[in-house]
Amino acid sequence: MEDIEAIAALQDPVRRRLYEYVVAQGRDVGRNEAAEAAGVARTLAAHHLDRLTEAGLLESGSRRLTGRSGPGAGRPAKVYRRAPGERSVSLPARDYRTAAELLAEAAELAGLDAGLCAAARRRGESLREATGPCGSLEEAMEVLAARGYEPHLEAAEAADASVDATAAATVIRMRNCPFHAVAERFPPLVCGMNLALLEGLLGGSDAVRARMDARPGECCVVVEPSKNNDH
């Protein structure tokens, strides 16, 4: 019932806009910012944000948004971020997660990593249907968003400390891993599968490539311009 009630909280269109905005930022969001993004008054935004927190979809805290500290820095403001954990509803009840974990455990014990990755790459290719390889980061963003990865563009970290960070290439990071629950228990197996799936989805593109680059709280894969496409 808790999951049903939490998901039902998103039925209100204003509340859903606020939730989607907070989630998309990947950081703490204040009430003023959220209200402006949703096009509603601050008091209404505060009401809905608190309702989302009560439903367990958001977490709240407080911090100074000015970046200053000490006297004159102002009072801490209430901020919101996405709550950890998953919410799902299945009628009638289904338990695909347990099946996935059992299959992952069996595959890991049997050393079937290569076979799993090959199957994942084929599945990625089939999901791409008749479309050609992704020709740009923008096209890759659309493909990844459609699969629930919550992609966002970010400046790549320069491998050479002498390189100006502002000149670094742009890459795609993903805030969500669709296989998070199973990946937590079997990271090498599932992350390798995920990489192969994304390679299939990108279609062997000469413009972009996927590679492993795990970061806490995000998908283990990053998508970047191919070296062959660098100028």
Side-chain angles (χ1 to χ4, degrees):
M1 289 298 295
E2 287 185 3
D3 282 0
I4 293 176
E5 292 170 357
I7 293 171
L10 295 172
Q11 185 175 1
D12 184 284
V14 173
R15 200 173 297 157
R16 183 160 187 166
R17 288 204 305 272
L18 288 164
Y19 173 78
E20 289 175 344
Y21 179 77
V22 172
V23 166
Q25 305 317 301
R27 55 173 172 78
D28 290 346
V29 175
R31 287 172 167 175
N32 288 338
E33 179 186 348
E36 184 177 350
V40 298
R42 183 183 183 279
T43 52
L44 181 60
H47 166 73
H48 284 305
L49 290 166
D50 286 340
R51 286 290 302 276
L52 290 166
T53 302
E54 292 168 7
L57 295 171
L58 296 180
E59 285 184 338
S60 65
S62 61
R63 69 177 180 85
R64 288 188 174 90
L65 298 177
T66 62
R68 303 195 306 270
S69 60
R75 296 175 57 187
K78 195 165 187 178
V79 293
Y80 302 84
R81 69 190 71 84
R82 174 160 54 186
E86 301 175 7
R87 301 286 183 173
S88 63
V89 176
S90 177
L91 298 173
R94 297 288 187 261
D95 189 7
Y96 300 113
R97 175 174 171 176
T98 296
E101 290 178 347
L102 289 171
L103 289 168
E105 182 178 359
E108 189 172 76
L109 291 173
L112 300 178
D113 305 53
L116 177 62
C117 287
R121 193 170 288 104
R122 290 193 299 270
R123 176 56 63 89
E125 292 168 353
S126 68
L127 290 171
R128 208 166 28 87
E129 298 176 342
T131 60
C134 291
S136 65
L137 287 178
E138 289 72 22
E139 287 184 27
M141 286 275 287
E142 293 180 8
V143 171
L144 295 168
R147 302 302 305 173
Y149 282 92
E150 297 182 9
H152 65 283
L153 294 172
E154 184 177 298
E157 296 179 2
D160 185 346
S162 65
V163 176
D164 185 351
T166 60
T170 299
V171 301
I172 298 175
R173 293 275 182 181
M174 293 165 271
R175 293 195 175 98
N176 183 50
C177 171
F179 317 108
H180 175 73
V182 186
E184 277 195 318
R185 289 197 57 189
F186 308 96
L189 181 77
V190 178
C191 290
M193 177 201 75
N194 186 33
L195 174 61
L197 177 70
L198 291 176
E199 288 173 342
L201 275 171
L202 297 176
S205 170
D206 290 330
V208 297
R209 65 171 184 173
R211 65 175 175 84
M212 201 77 75
D213 189 13
R215 206 159 71 172
E218 296 191 353
C219 177
C220 59
V221 177
V222 63
V223 176
E224 63 186 7
S226 297
K227 290 184 177 180
N228 294 337
N229 197 47
D230 291 345
H231 299 291

Short mmCIF file of all heavy atoms in Angstrom, two decimals, residues 48-120:
data_model
loop_
_atom_site.label_atom_id
_atom_site.label_comp_id
_atom_site.label_asym_id
_atom_site.label_seq_id
_atom_site.Cartn_x
_atom_site.Cartn_y
_atom_site.Cartn_z
N HIS A 48 3.40 21.24 -1.85
CA HIS A 48 3.54 20.02 -2.64
C HIS A 48 4.88 19.31 -2.39
O HIS A 48 4.94 18.08 -2.36
CB HIS A 48 3.39 20.34 -4.13
CG HIS A 48 1.97 20.59 -4.55
ND1 HIS A 48 0.95 19.69 -4.32
CD2 HIS A 48 1.40 21.65 -5.18
CE1 HIS A 48 -0.18 20.17 -4.80
NE2 HIS A 48 0.07 21.37 -5.32
N LEU A 49 5.93 20.08 -2.22
CA LEU A 49 7.24 19.48 -1.93
C LEU A 49 7.21 18.73 -0.60
O LEU A 49 7.79 17.64 -0.48
CB LEU A 49 8.32 20.56 -1.91
CG LEU A 49 8.67 21.17 -3.28
CD1 LEU A 49 9.50 22.44 -3.09
CD2 LEU A 49 9.43 20.16 -4.15
N ASP A 50 6.54 19.30 0.38
CA ASP A 50 6.43 18.62 1.67
C ASP A 50 5.56 17.36 1.55
O ASP A 50 5.81 16.36 2.22
CB ASP A 50 5.87 19.57 2.72
CG ASP A 50 6.89 20.61 3.16
OD1 ASP A 50 8.09 20.37 2.96
OD2 ASP A 50 6.49 21.66 3.70
N ARG A 51 4.53 17.41 0.72
CA ARG A 51 3.70 16.23 0.49
C ARG A 51 4.52 15.11 -0.16
O ARG A 51 4.38 13.93 0.18
CB ARG A 51 2.50 16.58 -0.39
CG ARG A 51 1.41 17.37 0.29
CD ARG A 51 0.66 16.52 1.33
NE ARG A 51 0.06 15.33 0.73
CZ ARG A 51 -1.11 15.29 0.12
NH1 ARG A 51 -1.83 16.40 0.02
NH2 ARG A 51 -1.58 14.16 -0.38
N LEU A 52 5.37 15.48 -1.09
CA LEU A 52 6.24 14.50 -1.74
C LEU A 52 7.24 13.91 -0.75
O LEU A 52 7.59 12.73 -0.84
CB LEU A 52 6.98 15.15 -2.91
CG LEU A 52 6.12 15.51 -4.13
CD1 LEU A 52 6.87 16.44 -5.07
CD2 LEU A 52 5.69 14.23 -4.87
N THR A 53 7.68 14.73 0.18
CA THR A 53 8.59 14.24 1.23
C THR A 53 7.86 13.27 2.15
O THR A 53 8.39 12.21 2.51
CB THR A 53 9.14 15.43 2.04
OG1 THR A 53 9.83 16.33 1.16
CG2 THR A 53 10.13 14.94 3.10
N GLU A 54 6.63 13.61 2.53
CA GLU A 54 5.82 12.72 3.38
C GLU A 54 5.56 11.38 2.70
O GLU A 54 5.50 10.33 3.34
CB GLU A 54 4.50 13.39 3.72
CG GLU A 54 4.63 14.60 4.64
CD GLU A 54 3.34 15.40 4.73
OE1 GLU A 54 2.31 14.93 4.17
OE2 GLU A 54 3.35 16.48 5.34
N ALA A 55 5.43 11.41 1.36
CA ALA A 55 5.17 10.18 0.60
C ALA A 55 6.44 9.36 0.40
O ALA A 55 6.37 8.23 -0.10
CB ALA A 55 4.56 10.53 -0.76
N GLY A 56 7.60 9.90 0.80
CA GLY A 56 8.86 9.16 0.67
C GLY A 56 9.51 9.27 -0.69
O GLY A 56 10.47 8.56 -0.98
N LEU A 57 9.01 10.19 -1.54
CA LEU A 57 9.58 10.35 -2.88
C LEU A 57 10.73 11.35 -2.88
O LEU A 57 11.61 11.28 -3.74
CB LEU A 57 8.50 10.81 -3.86
CG LEU A 57 7.38 9.79 -4.10
CD1 LEU A 57 6.26 10.43 -4.91
CD2 LEU A 57 7.91 8.55 -4.81
N LEU A 58 10.72 12.29 -1.95
CA LEU A 58 11.80 13.25 -1.81
C LEU A 58 12.33 13.21 -0.38
O LEU A 58 11.65 12.75 0.53
CB LEU A 58 11.32 14.68 -2.11
CG LEU A 58 10.83 14.99 -3.52
CD1 LEU A 58 10.40 16.46 -3.62
CD2 LEU A 58 11.90 14.68 -4.56
N GLU A 59 13.55 13.69 -0.21
CA GLU A 59 14.13 13.92 1.12
C GLU A 59 14.30 15.42 1.28
O GLU A 59 14.54 16.13 0.30
CB GLU A 59 15.49 13.25 1.25
CG GLU A 59 15.45 11.75 1.42
CD GLU A 59 16.85 11.19 1.64
OE1 GLU A 59 17.82 11.87 1.25
OE2 GLU A 59 16.96 10.09 2.18
N SER A 60 14.18 15.91 2.48
CA SER A 60 14.37 17.33 2.73
C SER A 60 15.49 17.55 3.74
O SER A 60 15.82 16.67 4.54
CB SER A 60 13.07 17.97 3.25
OG SER A 60 12.72 17.43 4.51
N GLY A 61 16.07 18.72 3.68
CA GLY A 61 17.12 19.12 4.61
C GLY A 61 17.17 20.62 4.63
O GLY A 61 16.27 21.30 4.13
N SER A 62 18.23 21.17 5.16
CA SER A 62 18.38 22.63 5.18
C SER A 62 19.84 22.99 5.01
O SER A 62 20.73 22.31 5.53
CB SER A 62 17.83 23.23 6.47
OG SER A 62 18.55 22.73 7.59
N ARG A 63 20.07 24.04 4.26
CA ARG A 63 21.42 24.58 4.10
C ARG A 63 21.32 25.99 3.55
O ARG A 63 20.29 26.39 3.00
CB ARG A 63 22.27 23.70 3.19
CG ARG A 63 21.86 23.68 1.74
CD ARG A 63 22.82 22.83 0.94
NE ARG A 63 22.48 22.76 -0.47
CZ ARG A 63 22.85 23.67 -1.37
NH1 ARG A 63 23.58 24.72 -1.00
NH2 ARG A 63 22.51 23.54 -2.64
N ARG A 64 22.40 26.75 3.67
CA ARG A 64 22.43 28.11 3.13
C ARG A 64 22.66 28.03 1.62
O ARG A 64 23.61 27.40 1.17
CB ARG A 64 23.53 28.92 3.80
CG ARG A 64 23.22 29.29 5.25
CD ARG A 64 24.26 30.26 5.79
NE ARG A 64 23.92 30.73 7.12
CZ ARG A 64 24.29 30.12 8.25
NH1 ARG A 64 25.03 29.02 8.19
NH2 ARG A 64 23.93 30.60 9.43
N LEU A 65 21.78 28.67 0.87
CA LEU A 65 21.88 28.63 -0.58
C LEU A 65 22.75 29.75 -1.12
O LEU A 65 23.05 29.79 -2.32
CB LEU A 65 20.48 28.74 -1.19
CG LEU A 65 19.53 27.59 -0.83
CD1 LEU A 65 18.15 27.84 -1.44
CD2 LEU A 65 20.08 26.25 -1.30
N THR A 66 23.19 30.68 -0.26
CA THR A 66 24.01 31.80 -0.72
C THR A 66 25.47 31.42 -0.91
O THR A 66 26.21 32.13 -1.58
CB THR A 66 23.95 32.95 0.30
OG1 THR A 66 24.47 32.49 1.55
CG2 THR A 66 22.52 33.44 0.49
N GLY A 67 25.88 30.29 -0.32
CA GLY A 67 27.28 29.91 -0.40
C GLY A 67 28.15 30.59 0.62
O GLY A 67 29.35 30.34 0.71
N ARG A 68 27.55 31.48 1.43
CA ARG A 68 28.30 32.19 2.46
C ARG A 68 28.05 31.55 3.82
O ARG A 68 27.08 30.82 4.01
CB ARG A 68 27.90 33.67 2.51
CG ARG A 68 28.08 34.41 1.18
CD ARG A 68 28.02 35.92 1.40
NE ARG A 68 26.80 36.32 2.09
CZ ARG A 68 25.68 36.64 1.49
NH1 ARG A 68 25.58 36.59 0.17
NH2 ARG A 68 24.61 37.02 2.18
N SER A 69 28.89 31.85 4.77
CA SER A 69 28.71 31.37 6.14
C SER A 69 29.05 32.50 7.09
O SER A 69 29.64 33.51 6.71
CB SER A 69 29.60 30.15 6.41
OG SER A 69 30.96 30.48 6.24
N GLY A 70 28.67 32.32 8.36
CA GLY A 70 28.98 33.33 9.36
C GLY A 70 27.90 34.40 9.43
O GLY A 70 26.85 34.30 8.78
N PRO A 71 28.14 35.45 10.20
CA PRO A 71 27.15 36.52 10.37
C PRO A 71 26.76 37.15 9.04
O PRO A 71 27.61 37.39 8.18
CB PRO A 71 27.88 37.53 11.27
CG PRO A 71 28.92 36.72 11.97
CD PRO A 71 29.36 35.66 11.00
N GLY A 72 25.48 37.37 8.85
CA GLY A 72 25.00 38.00 7.62
C GLY A 72 24.78 37.04 6.48
O GLY A 72 24.39 37.46 5.39
N ALA A 73 25.03 35.75 6.70
CA ALA A 73 24.87 34.78 5.62
C ALA A 73 23.43 34.37 5.41
O ALA A 73 23.09 33.76 4.42
CB ALA A 73 25.72 33.53 5.91
N GLY A 74 22.56 34.74 6.37
CA GLY A 74 21.15 34.39 6.23
C GLY A 74 20.83 33.04 6.85
O GLY A 74 21.73 32.24 7.17
N ARG A 75 19.54 32.80 7.02
CA ARG A 75 19.11 31.54 7.62
C ARG A 75 19.19 30.40 6.61
O ARG A 75 19.03 30.62 5.40
CB ARG A 75 17.67 31.67 8.10
CG ARG A 75 17.48 32.69 9.22
CD ARG A 75 16.02 32.85 9.55
NE ARG A 75 15.41 31.56 9.92
CZ ARG A 75 14.11 31.40 10.12
NH1 ARG A 75 13.29 32.43 9.95
NH2 ARG A 75 13.64 30.24 10.48
N PRO A 76 19.44 29.18 7.07
CA PRO A 76 19.43 28.04 6.16
C PRO A 76 18.05 27.88 5.52
O PRO A 76 17.02 28.11 6.16
CB PRO A 76 19.76 26.85 7.07
CG PRO A 76 20.45 27.45 8.24
CD PRO A 76 19.83 28.80 8.44
N ALA A 77 18.02 27.51 4.26
CA ALA A 77 16.77 27.31 3.53
C ALA A 77 16.46 25.82 3.45
O ALA A 77 17.35 24.97 3.49
CB ALA A 77 16.88 27.89 2.13
N LYS A 78 15.18 25.50 3.34
CA LYS A 78 14.78 24.11 3.18
C LYS A 78 15.05 23.68 1.75
O LYS A 78 14.72 24.40 0.80
CB LYS A 78 13.30 23.94 3.51
CG LYS A 78 12.90 22.48 3.73
CD LYS A 78 11.55 22.37 4.41
CE LYS A 78 11.25 20.91 4.79
NZ LYS A 78 9.94 20.78 5.49
N VAL A 79 15.68 22.52 1.59
CA VAL A 79 16.03 22.02 0.27
C VAL A 79 15.53 20.59 0.12
O VAL A 79 15.28 19.89 1.12
CB VAL A 79 17.55 22.08 0.02
CG1 VAL A 79 18.04 23.52 -0.04
CG2 VAL A 79 18.31 21.31 1.10
N TYR A 80 15.43 20.15 -1.13
CA TYR A 80 14.87 18.84 -1.42
C TYR A 80 15.75 18.11 -2.43
O TYR A 80 16.39 18.73 -3.29
CB TYR A 80 13.45 18.97 -1.99
CG TYR A 80 12.50 19.69 -1.07
CD1 TYR A 80 12.45 21.09 -1.05
CD2 TYR A 80 11.67 18.99 -0.20
CE1 TYR A 80 11.59 21.76 -0.20
CE2 TYR A 80 10.81 19.66 0.66
CZ TYR A 80 10.77 21.04 0.65
OH TYR A 80 9.92 21.71 1.50
N ARG A 81 15.76 16.80 -2.33
CA ARG A 81 16.45 15.94 -3.29
C ARG A 81 15.68 14.64 -3.41
O ARG A 81 14.84 14.34 -2.56
CB ARG A 81 17.89 15.67 -2.82
CG ARG A 81 17.98 14.78 -1.59
CD ARG A 81 19.36 14.72 -1.01
NE ARG A 81 19.73 15.97 -0.37
CZ ARG A 81 19.40 16.28 0.89
NH1 ARG A 81 18.67 15.44 1.62
NH2 ARG A 81 19.76 17.42 1.40
N ARG A 82 15.97 13.85 -4.44
CA ARG A 82 15.27 12.58 -4.59
C ARG A 82 15.63 11.64 -3.46
O ARG A 82 16.79 11.51 -3.07
CB ARG A 82 15.61 11.92 -5.93
CG ARG A 82 14.99 10.53 -6.04
CD ARG A 82 14.88 10.01 -7.44
NE ARG A 82 16.11 10.02 -8.17
CZ ARG A 82 16.19 9.71 -9.46
NH1 ARG A 82 15.10 9.38 -10.12
NH2 ARG A 82 17.34 9.74 -10.10
N ALA A 83 14.64 10.94 -2.94
CA ALA A 83 14.87 9.96 -1.88
C ALA A 83 15.43 8.68 -2.50
O ALA A 83 15.12 8.33 -3.63
CB ALA A 83 13.57 9.65 -1.15
N PRO A 84 16.30 7.97 -1.77
CA PRO A 84 16.80 6.69 -2.28
C PRO A 84 15.69 5.64 -2.24
O PRO A 84 14.62 5.86 -1.66
CB PRO A 84 17.91 6.34 -1.29
CG PRO A 84 17.52 7.03 -0.02
CD PRO A 84 16.84 8.31 -0.44
N GLY A 85 15.94 4.52 -2.85
CA GLY A 85 14.95 3.45 -2.85
C GLY A 85 14.10 3.48 -4.11
O GLY A 85 14.15 4.41 -4.91
N GLU A 86 13.31 2.44 -4.28
CA GLU A 86 12.48 2.29 -5.46
C GLU A 86 11.02 2.18 -5.07
O GLU A 86 10.70 1.73 -3.97
CB GLU A 86 12.89 1.02 -6.24
CG GLU A 86 14.33 1.01 -6.69
CD GLU A 86 14.71 -0.30 -7.35
OE1 GLU A 86 13.81 -1.14 -7.56
OE2 GLU A 86 15.90 -0.49 -7.66
N ARG A 87 10.15 2.55 -5.99
CA ARG A 87 8.71 2.43 -5.81
C ARG A 87 8.15 1.71 -7.03
O ARG A 87 8.42 2.09 -8.16
CB ARG A 87 8.04 3.79 -5.68
CG ARG A 87 8.54 4.63 -4.52
CD ARG A 87 8.04 4.11 -3.19
NE ARG A 87 8.47 4.95 -2.08
CZ ARG A 87 8.07 4.79 -0.83
NH1 ARG A 87 7.21 3.81 -0.54
NH2 ARG A 87 8.51 5.57 0.13
N SER A 88 7.39 0.66 -6.79
CA SER A 88 6.79 -0.06 -7.92
C SER A 88 5.47 -0.68 -7.46
O SER A 88 5.29 -1.01 -6.29
CB SER A 88 7.72 -1.15 -8.45
OG SER A 88 7.96 -2.13 -7.45
N VAL A 89 4.58 -0.83 -8.43
CA VAL A 89 3.28 -1.43 -8.16
C VAL A 89 3.02 -2.48 -9.22
O VAL A 89 3.21 -2.22 -10.42
CB VAL A 89 2.16 -0.39 -8.17
CG1 VAL A 89 0.81 -1.05 -8.00
CG2 VAL A 89 2.38 0.65 -7.07
N SER A 90 2.60 -3.66 -8.82
CA SER A 90 2.26 -4.73 -9.76
C SER A 90 0.96 -5.37 -9.32
O SER A 90 0.83 -5.82 -8.17
CB SER A 90 3.38 -5.79 -9.79
OG SER A 90 3.03 -6.85 -10.65
N LEU A 91 -0.01 -5.39 -10.20
CA LEU A 91 -1.30 -6.01 -9.92
C LEU A 91 -1.63 -6.99 -11.04
O LEU A 91 -1.80 -6.58 -12.19
CB LEU A 91 -2.40 -4.94 -9.81
CG LEU A 91 -2.24 -3.91 -8.70
CD1 LEU A 91 -3.29 -2.81 -8.83
CD2 LEU A 91 -2.34 -4.57 -7.33
N PRO A 92 -1.70 -8.30 -10.73
CA PRO A 92 -1.46 -8.92 -9.44
C PRO A 92 0.03 -8.89 -9.08
O PRO A 92 0.86 -8.50 -9.90
CB PRO A 92 -1.95 -10.36 -9.64
CG PRO A 92 -1.75 -10.60 -11.10
CD PRO A 92 -2.05 -9.29 -11.77
N ALA A 93 0.36 -9.31 -7.87
CA ALA A 93 1.74 -9.22 -7.39
C ALA A 93 2.67 -10.07 -8.25
O ALA A 93 2.37 -11.21 -8.60
CB ALA A 93 1.80 -9.70 -5.93
N ARG A 94 3.81 -9.49 -8.59
CA ARG A 94 4.88 -10.18 -9.32
C ARG A 94 6.19 -9.91 -8.59
O ARG A 94 6.35 -8.89 -7.94
CB ARG A 94 4.96 -9.68 -10.76
CG ARG A 94 3.70 -9.95 -11.60
CD ARG A 94 3.57 -11.43 -11.93
NE ARG A 94 2.48 -11.67 -12.86
CZ ARG A 94 1.28 -12.09 -12.50
NH1 ARG A 94 1.00 -12.27 -11.22
NH2 ARG A 94 0.34 -12.31 -13.40
N ASP A 95 7.16 -10.81 -8.76
CA ASP A 95 8.45 -10.66 -8.08
C ASP A 95 9.58 -10.94 -9.05
O ASP A 95 10.31 -11.91 -8.93
CB ASP A 95 8.52 -11.61 -6.88
CG ASP A 95 9.75 -11.34 -6.00
OD1 ASP A 95 10.45 -10.35 -6.27
OD2 ASP A 95 9.99 -12.13 -5.08
N TYR A 96 9.73 -10.04 -10.03
CA TYR A 96 10.77 -10.22 -11.04
C TYR A 96 12.16 -9.96 -10.46
O TYR A 96 13.15 -10.48 -10.96
CB TYR A 96 10.51 -9.29 -12.22
CG TYR A 96 9.20 -9.55 -12.91
CD1 TYR A 96 8.18 -8.61 -12.88
CD2 TYR A 96 8.97 -10.75 -13.59
CE1 TYR A 96 6.96 -8.86 -13.50
CE2 TYR A 96 7.76 -11.00 -14.21
CZ TYR A 96 6.76 -10.05 -14.16
OH TYR A 96 5.55 -10.30 -14.78
N ARG A 97 12.24 -9.16 -9.40
CA ARG A 97 13.54 -8.86 -8.81
C ARG A 97 14.20 -10.11 -8.26
O ARG A 97 15.39 -10.34 -8.47
CB ARG A 97 13.38 -7.81 -7.71
CG ARG A 97 14.67 -7.51 -6.96
CD ARG A 97 14.49 -6.37 -5.99
NE ARG A 97 15.64 -6.20 -5.12
CZ ARG A 97 15.77 -5.22 -4.24
NH1 ARG A 97 14.82 -4.31 -4.13
NH2 ARG A 97 16.84 -5.12 -3.47
N THR A 98 13.44 -10.94 -7.54
CA THR A 98 14.01 -12.17 -7.01
C THR A 98 14.48 -13.08 -8.13
O THR A 98 15.57 -13.68 -8.07
CB THR A 98 12.98 -12.91 -6.12
OG1 THR A 98 12.68 -12.08 -5.00
CG2 THR A 98 13.54 -14.24 -5.63
N ALA A 99 13.68 -13.18 -9.20
CA ALA A 99 14.07 -14.00 -10.34
C ALA A 99 15.36 -13.46 -10.96
O ALA A 99 16.27 -14.24 -11.30
CB ALA A 99 12.96 -14.03 -11.37
N ALA A 100 15.47 -12.13 -11.11
CA ALA A 100 16.67 -11.54 -11.69
C ALA A 100 17.89 -11.80 -10.82
O ALA A 100 18.98 -12.11 -11.32
CB ALA A 100 16.46 -10.04 -11.87
N GLU A 101 17.73 -11.70 -9.50
CA GLU A 101 18.86 -11.94 -8.60
C GLU A 101 19.30 -13.40 -8.64
O GLU A 101 20.50 -13.70 -8.60
CB GLU A 101 18.48 -11.52 -7.18
CG GLU A 101 18.35 -10.01 -7.02
CD GLU A 101 17.94 -9.62 -5.62
OE1 GLU A 101 17.52 -10.50 -4.84
OE2 GLU A 101 18.02 -8.41 -5.29
N LEU A 102 18.35 -14.32 -8.71
CA LEU A 102 18.69 -15.74 -8.79
C LEU A 102 19.42 -16.06 -10.09
O LEU A 102 20.41 -16.81 -10.11
CB LEU A 102 17.43 -16.59 -8.66
CG LEU A 102 16.78 -16.63 -7.28
CD1 LEU A 102 15.42 -17.33 -7.35
CD2 LEU A 102 17.69 -17.34 -6.28
N LEU A 103 18.94 -15.50 -11.19
CA LEU A 103 19.59 -15.71 -12.48
C LEU A 103 20.99 -15.10 -12.48
O LEU A 103 21.93 -15.70 -13.03
CB LEU A 103 18.74 -15.12 -13.60
CG LEU A 103 17.43 -15.87 -13.90
CD1 LEU A 103 16.54 -15.04 -14.82
CD2 LEU A 103 17.72 -17.23 -14.52
N ALA A 104 21.13 -13.91 -11.90
CA ALA A 104 22.44 -13.28 -11.83
C ALA A 104 23.41 -14.10 -10.99
O ALA A 104 24.58 -14.27 -11.34
CB ALA A 104 22.31 -11.86 -11.26
N GLU A 105 22.92 -14.63 -9.87
CA GLU A 105 23.77 -15.46 -9.01
C GLU A 105 24.22 -16.71 -9.75
O GLU A 105 25.40 -17.09 -9.69
CB GLU A 105 23.01 -15.84 -7.74
CG GLU A 105 23.83 -16.66 -6.76
CD GLU A 105 23.08 -16.98 -5.48
OE1 GLU A 105 21.91 -16.54 -5.35
OE2 GLU A 105 23.66 -17.67 -4.62
N ALA A 106 23.29 -17.35 -10.46
CA ALA A 106 23.63 -18.57 -11.20
C ALA A 106 24.64 -18.26 -12.31
O ALA A 106 25.60 -19.01 -12.53
CB ALA A 106 22.38 -19.20 -11.79
N ALA A 107 24.43 -17.14 -13.01
CA ALA A 107 25.34 -16.76 -14.10
C ALA A 107 26.73 -16.45 -13.57
O ALA A 107 27.74 -16.82 -14.18
CB ALA A 107 24.78 -15.55 -14.84
N GLU A 108 26.80 -15.79 -12.42
CA GLU A 108 28.09 -15.46 -11.82
C GLU A 108 28.84 -16.71 -11.38
O GLU A 108 30.04 -16.86 -11.63
CB GLU A 108 27.88 -14.51 -10.64
CG GLU A 108 29.16 -13.91 -10.09
CD GLU A 108 28.88 -12.83 -9.06
OE1 GLU A 108 28.52 -13.18 -7.92
OE2 GLU A 108 29.02 -11.64 -9.40
N LEU A 109 28.12 -17.62 -10.74
CA LEU A 109 28.74 -18.86 -10.27
C LEU A 109 29.22 -19.73 -11.44
O LEU A 109 30.23 -20.43 -11.33
CB LEU A 109 27.77 -19.65 -9.40
CG LEU A 109 27.43 -19.03 -8.03
CD1 LEU A 109 26.33 -19.81 -7.34
CD2 LEU A 109 28.68 -18.98 -7.15
N ALA A 110 28.48 -19.69 -12.54
CA ALA A 110 28.84 -20.51 -13.71
C ALA A 110 29.82 -19.82 -14.64
O ALA A 110 30.22 -20.41 -15.65
CB ALA A 110 27.56 -20.88 -14.46
N GLY A 111 30.20 -18.59 -14.33
CA GLY A 111 31.14 -17.87 -15.18
C GLY A 111 30.58 -17.55 -16.56
O GLY A 111 31.28 -17.65 -17.56
N LEU A 112 29.31 -17.13 -16.58
CA LEU A 112 28.65 -16.87 -17.86
C LEU A 112 28.67 -15.40 -18.26
O LEU A 112 27.83 -14.94 -19.03
CB LEU A 112 27.19 -17.35 -17.79
CG LEU A 112 26.99 -18.84 -17.50
CD1 LEU A 112 25.51 -19.17 -17.39
CD2 LEU A 112 27.65 -19.68 -18.59
N ASP A 113 29.65 -14.66 -17.77
CA ASP A 113 29.72 -13.22 -18.04
C ASP A 113 29.74 -12.93 -19.54
O ASP A 113 29.00 -12.06 -20.02
CB ASP A 113 30.97 -12.62 -17.39
CG ASP A 113 31.05 -12.90 -15.90
OD1 ASP A 113 30.95 -14.07 -15.53
OD2 ASP A 113 31.21 -11.93 -15.13
N ALA A 114 30.59 -13.64 -20.28
CA ALA A 114 30.72 -13.37 -21.70
C ALA A 114 29.43 -13.64 -22.45
O ALA A 114 29.01 -12.87 -23.32
CB ALA A 114 31.86 -14.20 -22.29
N GLY A 115 28.77 -14.74 -22.11
CA GLY A 115 27.51 -15.06 -22.75
C GLY A 115 26.43 -14.04 -22.44
O GLY A 115 25.63 -13.67 -23.31
N LEU A 116 26.39 -13.58 -21.19
CA LEU A 116 25.41 -12.57 -20.79
C LEU A 116 25.64 -11.27 -21.55
O LEU A 116 24.70 -10.64 -22.02
CB LEU A 116 25.49 -12.34 -19.29
CG LEU A 116 24.56 -11.26 -18.72
CD1 LEU A 116 23.09 -11.62 -18.96
CD2 LEU A 116 24.82 -11.06 -17.23
N CYS A 117 26.90 -10.85 -21.66
CA CYS A 117 27.22 -9.61 -22.36
C CYS A 117 26.85 -9.71 -23.84
O CYS A 117 26.35 -8.75 -24.43
CB CYS A 117 28.70 -9.27 -22.20
SG CYS A 117 29.13 -8.69 -20.53
N ALA A 118 27.10 -10.88 -24.43
CA ALA A 118 26.74 -11.06 -25.84
C ALA A 118 25.23 -10.96 -26.03
O ALA A 118 24.75 -10.33 -26.98
CB ALA A 118 27.25 -12.42 -26.33
N ALA A 119 24.48 -11.56 -25.11
CA ALA A 119 23.02 -11.50 -25.19
C ALA A 119 22.55 -10.06 -24.98
O ALA A 119 21.61 -9.60 -25.66
CB ALA A 119 22.40 -12.42 -24.16
N ALA A 120 23.19 -9.33 -24.05
CA ALA A 120 22.80 -7.94 -23.78
C ALA A 120 23.08 -7.06 -24.99
O ALA A 120 22.27 -6.18 -25.33
CB ALA A 120 23.56 -7.42 -22.57
#
